[in-house]
């Protein structure tokens, strides 16, 4: 009984990417965390969009005098809804893509470290 246990099975460390590929319980936890963070980000972008686009008609309903304002022969409500909204939509989309890529990069870092 003085010899070392050379015949004993050694615990093998399984990479996280393999856990995900094989769809194990741990891989499912990894994927769920990524999907949850992406869903949270998408809901934030959607809420921001709804407040922005939905807030414009609400603004004109609360302040009816603004509806009579004319800028460059175009009524202000039309000007805001037809032209001014697009830079904000572009900004929300740009920020969303950057944040989604950051989430994926962070996820890939976690998977690579595991």
């Amino acid at each position: 009984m003085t010899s070392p246990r050379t015949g004993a099975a050694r615990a093998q460390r399984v990479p996280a990417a393999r856990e995900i590929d094989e769809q194990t319980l741990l891989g499912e936890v990894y994927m769920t965390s990524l999907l949850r963070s992406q869903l949270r980000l998408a809901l934030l972008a959607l809420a921001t969009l709804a407040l922005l686009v939905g807030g414009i008609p609400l603004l004109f309903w609360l302040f009816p005098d603004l509806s009579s304002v004319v800028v460059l022969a175009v009524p202000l409500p039309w000007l805001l809804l037809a032209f001014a909204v697009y830079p904000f939509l572009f900004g929300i989309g740009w920020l969303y893509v950057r944040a989604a890529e950051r989430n994926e990069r962070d996820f890939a870092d976690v998977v690579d470290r595991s």
Side-chain angles (χ1 to χ4, degrees), residues 51-63 81:
L51 285 175
L52 174 72
V53 176
I56 293 173
L58 181 63
L59 177 73
F60 290 111
W61 182 71
L62 292 174
F63 303 104
L81 287 171

Side-chain angles (χ1 to χ4, degrees), residues 96-108:
Y96 172 79
V97 168
R98 286 189 48 156
E101 288 174 347
R102 185 179 58 242
N103 283 347
E104 291 173 1
R105 219 175 17 256
D106 293 345
F107 175 76

Side-chain angles (χ1 to χ4, degrees), residues 9-84:
R10 294 185 182 169
Q12 292 182 356
R13 191 167 178 211
V14 179
R18 188 167 154 202
E19 295 280 348
I20 293 169
D21 289 340
E22 293 178 359
Q23 297 179 352
T24 63
L25 188 58
L26 181 59
E28 187 177 328
V29 169
Y30 280 124
M31 289 305 298
T32 302
S33 70
L34 174 64
L35 293 174
R36 189 174 294 132
S37 67
Q38 296 291 51
L39 176 63
R40 193 172 28 250
L41 179 62
L43 291 176
L44 178 65
L46 183 63
T48 304
L49 176 67
L51 285 175
L52 174 72
V53 176
I56 293 173
L58 181 63
L59 177 73
F60 290 111
W61 182 71
L62 292 174
F63 303 104
D65 295 337
L66 288 175
S67 297
S68 61
V69 175
V70 176
V71 178
L72 300 172
V74 178
L76 185 61
W78 280 96
L79 187 69
L80 290 177
L81 287 171
F83 300 107

